[in-house]
Amino acid sequence: LQWLRNPGPQHEKRTLFGDMVCFLFITPLATISGWLCLRGAVDHLHFSSRLEAAGLIALTVALFTIYLFWTLVSFRYHCRLYNEWRRTNQRVILLIPKSANVPSSQQSLLALQSLRSNSKETIV
């Protein structure tokens, strides 16, 4: 969630938002268009030329190929951005376990320091 709130440069937020909007609009449109093309191909096979049916099937294959290519490229791009963000934005707090060598006053100081730490940091 931290990455979505602040992924870095502003253009990365716009790109992610734009791709999500495009995906939400293009997915139903590609599905409906593909179904209509295939339905038209079936009708042409039954009532008229096979050449028109083959053209509609080729159009459907091209449509879904382009859609899948765009989806995979977009997904890969955003995964790469996320992995780069994870690699460069690591915050780790090392908690020292209680031991016999550390007096209890120092242990309580360590506990207070860990409670005061930023909630965005990862506790290991």
Side-chain angles (χ1 to χ4, degrees):
L1 294 177
Q2 218 175 18
W3 178 70
L4 289 175
R5 280 187 250 138
N6 187 12
Q10 192 66 24
H11 75 313
E12 290 177 7
K13 282 183 181 180
R14 284 193 302 265
T15 303
L16 178 63
F17 179 73
D19 284 347
M20 288 170 52
V21 169
C22 288
F23 182 78
L24 291 176
F25 282 116
I26 290 174
T27 298
L29 290 175
T31 304
I32 291 169
S33 298
W35 181 79
L36 287 173
C37 285
L38 289 178
R39 184 73 184 151
V42 168
D43 289 344
H44 280 291
L45 280 175
H46 290 299
F47 301 114
S48 62
S49 76
R50 294 186 186 277
L51 184 61
E52 291 175 3
L56 285 171
I57 291 171
L59 181 64
T60 304
V61 169
L63 174 71
F64 283 120
T65 302
I66 292 168
Y67 172 75
L68 287 175
F69 178 75
W70 173 79
T71 302
L72 290 174
V73 168
S74 179
F75 185 73
R76 183 175 175 225
Y77 172 73
H78 291 294
C79 285
R80 186 180 56 82
L81 284 179
Y82 174 70
N83 287 332
E84 181 180 323
W85 177 84
R86 274 185 38 196
R87 190 178 68 247
T88 58
N89 291 304
Q90 294 181 5
R91 293 183 183 188
V92 178
I93 298 174
L94 182 61
L95 294 179
I96 301 171
K98 294 181 180 182
S99 67
N101 298 339
V102 180
S104 62
S105 61
Q106 287 181 353
Q107 286 178 357
S108 61
L109 279 175
L110 288 173
L112 284 175
Q113 287 174 351
S114 67
L115 289 175
R116 290 182 195 157
S117 66
N118 193 348
S119 64
K120 294 179 182 178
E121 297 173 339
T122 304
I123 299 175
V124 179

